[in-house]
Amino acid sequence: MSRHSKHSNDRAFYTNKERKDAGFAGFRKDVLGTDCFLPFGHCALSLKAAKDPVVTPDGWVYDREFILENLLRQRIEKQAEAKKYEAQEQRKARQEVADRQEESLKEIEDFRRVDQGLLSEDTRHKRALDKASAADAQSQKKLRQGELFVIDKAQFREKSFWAPECTQSAAPADLKKVDTSTRCPMSGKKLRVKDLLPVKFEVTDQKMLEEGGGRGVYCCAVSKHPITHHQAVVIKPSGVVVLESVLADCVLKDMRCPISNKKLKGPEDILKLQQGGTGFAAHNEVEAKSFSMIRSWSGDARTQAGHLPKAGFVGLH
């Protein structure tokens, strides 16, 4: 009786299990811990508690210093790319003008030579040019077939494959038109400096904040409950951060900020913030997967050297 499933190794084809055992085409999975996720209210660029926090229209929190530096760097890089694109278009325009001028001069020269009867007795312009080009080609062909007294080595070396300095290379790819607008580093959407909204976080542990922050360093301004993975919102007119659970009773009833008593125009003055990540699957995606075509023994030895060498991979590479 033949063996089945994973134990059948005498088939005429290479099974998926055999490929994995041989080190080809394998997936690596890893469960991410709490330390792999950014705590609530931390800057997405510096990965620390923001000293001067601002929030984007999509709810991402940044430190003003870091996000302004990032936007400035984006602006400089995009302007440099735009200048390169403009220079490329100007070169193309100049080349087109030069080609048109060369073509027109060639037509004038050909007409002049034919009109003076220097090439052929035929008075028809096109046939005379054809005969002239055929005569030139025939003379060059005879010259190639005969013995050459003068040999230009540079000409022979021009398209030589074995001469590295003369090897032909592909023309550089044309640059595309650059979008000079700056974008959010996390969401990828367009972001301007005037779109940044300042926020006011209620600090629970000042010492933790001075050390760089941590989970639960901020709390709701109304309930004083530490914010870890909970959904929090910011009230735009005042910049106060509260939990979403207190909106119905403390904010939406009177449409006023419970801390500064500023009037809200409507629900559009309430902005949801990005939630802090945890190591629990109920709060966010905690599994990471990596695929590689060919595995190495050293890589497997490094990733499987943890507490679960057979059941899974401790790290991804």
Side-chain angles (χ1 to χ4, degrees):
M1 183 176 178
S2 62
R3 292 177 293 180
H4 300 281
S5 186
K6 297 181 179 180
H7 300 288
S8 180
N9 298 327
D10 57 350
R11 298 181 181 179
F13 56 89
Y14 214 26
T15 63
N16 186 35
K17 181 180 181 300
E18 291 173 348
R19 290 181 62 85
K20 289 183 178 180
D21 292 342
F24 295 91
F27 279 96
R28 291 166 176 77
K29 295 182 181 180
D30 192 9
V31 177
L32 304 178
T34 305
D35 295 337
C36 298
F37 298 94
L38 192 67
F40 171 79
H42 284 47
C43 175
L45 292 176
S46 65
L47 307 182
K48 295 182 179 180
K51 298 179 181 179
D52 186 7
V54 293
V55 64
T56 66
D58 293 325
W60 290 100
V61 178
Y62 295 100
D63 196 332
R64 184 182 296 273
E65 177 185 357
F66 288 90
I67 187 60
L68 292 181
E69 181 181 357
N70 183 274
L71 295 179
L72 179 60
R73 185 174 66 252
Q74 289 186 38
R75 177 69 67 181
I76 294 174
E77 292 177 355
K78 290 180 180 293
Q79 287 179 353
E81 294 177 0
K83 289 182 179 179
K84 292 181 180 179
Y85 175 77
E86 292 177 359
Q88 170 189 277
E89 295 301 315
Q90 291 176 1
R91 287 195 302 268
K92 285 184 177 181
R94 289 196 299 266
Q95 185 64 33
E96 291 178 359
V97 172
D99 293 342
R100 287 197 298 268
Q101 291 178 354
E102 184 179 358
E103 185 178 356
S104 61
L105 291 175
K106 184 177 181 300
E107 292 180 356
I108 294 173
E109 181 64 21
D110 292 342
F111 179 79
R112 184 185 64 80
R113 296 171 65 185
V114 173
D115 186 60
Q116 294 180 359
L118 299 178
L119 296 179
S120 174
E121 296 179 357
D122 195 344
T123 57
R124 282 173 290 186
H125 179 61
K126 184 176 183 303
R127 183 173 297 179
L129 292 178
D130 293 342
K131 288 183 179 180
S133 59
D136 294 340
Q138 187 176 4
S139 63
Q140 294 176 3
K141 184 177 180 181
K142 288 182 178 179
L143 183 62
R144 286 197 300 269
Q145 290 179 352
E147 184 178 0
L148 297 179
F149 296 98
V150 179
I151 299 176
D152 189 1
K153 293 184 178 180
Q155 185 178 1
F156 284 100
R157 204 168 48 237
E158 183 179 357
K159 297 182 180 180
S160 175
F161 174 78
W162 304 106
E165 66 274 6
C166 300
T167 303
Q168 294 182 351
S169 59
D174 292 341
L175 300 176
K176 297 183 180 180
K177 190 174 182 180
V178 182
D179 183 12
T180 57
S181 58
T182 55
R183 297 183 176 274
C184 175
M186 298 302 295
S187 65
K189 297 182 180 179
K190 293 184 179 181
L191 179 65
R192 298 172 296 179
V193 176
K194 64 180 182 180
D195 296 334
L196 299 176
L197 178 68
V199 294
K200 301 176 182 178
F201 287 112
E202 187 80 15
V203 180
T204 57
D205 191 344
Q206 187 64 32
K207 183 178 180 180
M208 183 188 297
L209 179 65
E210 294 175 354
E211 293 177 352
R215 301 192 180 277
V217 69
Y218 298 123
C219 66
C220 174
V222 176
S223 64
K224 307 301 180 183
H225 189 281
I227 304 175
T228 54
H229 64 279
H230 313 86
Q231 179 62 65
V233 299
V234 58
I235 303 174
K236 290 184 179 181
S238 61
V240 176
V241 178
V242 298
L243 288 172
E244 191 179 29
S245 57
V246 304
L247 280 178
D249 297 332
C250 301
V251 180
L252 298 180
K253 183 181 295 184
D254 300 328
M255 294 303 291
R256 288 184 178 274
C257 176
I259 305 301
S260 63
N261 200 29
K262 291 185 178 180
K263 183 69 175 177
L264 276 69
K265 297 180 181 178
E268 63 273 9
D269 283 343
I270 298 176
L271 176 64
K272 285 188 177 182
L273 300 178
Q274 294 291 332
Q275 295 177 254
T278 63
F280 297 95
H283 300 155
N284 45 261
E285 184 66 30
V286 297
E287 185 178 86
K289 182 185 293 186
S290 174
F291 175 78
S292 61
M293 292 299 297
I294 300 178
R295 300 206 319 257
S296 63
W297 179 86
S298 60
D300 287 347
R302 184 178 71 255
T303 55
Q304 299 185 21
H307 61 286
L308 295 175
K310 294 183 179 180
F313 296 91
V314 178
L316 300 178
H317 66 87

